[in-house]
Amino acid sequence: MGFLRRLFGGSREGGPDTPEAAEVEPDTDVDEEERAHELELARFEQARTTDLMRRQQRYGGRSWAPPAQGGPRRADDETEGEAGG
């Protein structure tokens, strides 16, 4: 929520056009609490993931896939010589 307040420049009570919004000081306690919460979440996520999971996430985009075989035509496709139905 603090991110959106900073982004739009509003306060909790009124919108950005109200006189109170121009006089309100930024709430630094909320920012510090958000940073602490984000740090706690990052530490929790790091402790939760195993080494295997980290490697899978790191190298997931480099996985090998076999080349496609055959063409775009499939067995159930109608050919040009057959009658449509």
Side-chain angles (χ1 to χ4, degrees):
M1 290 299 288
F3 168 74
L4 293 174
R5 278 196 302 271
R6 288 191 305 271
L7 182 66
F8 294 115
S11 68
R12 293 181 187 165
E13 292 80 26
D17 296 334
T18 60
E20 300 90 32
E23 299 172 8
V24 174
E25 292 293 321
D27 194 1
T28 57
D29 293 336
V30 174
D31 293 341
E32 291 173 9
E33 289 175 7
E34 283 184 39
R35 286 188 201 114
H37 180 68
E38 292 294 326
L39 183 60
E40 180 183 340
L41 286 177
R43 287 180 180 159
F44 172 74
E45 186 67 24
Q46 185 177 11
R48 186 180 68 86
T49 57
T50 63
D51 183 50
L52 175 62
M53 290 172 69
R54 283 189 214 123
R55 282 187 277 138
Q56 287 173 340
Q57 291 170 354
R58 182 175 180 183
Y59 298 111
R62 301 179 187 174
S63 63
W64 179 82
Q69 297 181 357
R73 187 171 173 271
R74 297 289 172 240
D76 60 344
D77 288 346
E78 295 182 13
T79 61
E80 295 173 8
E82 295 179 13

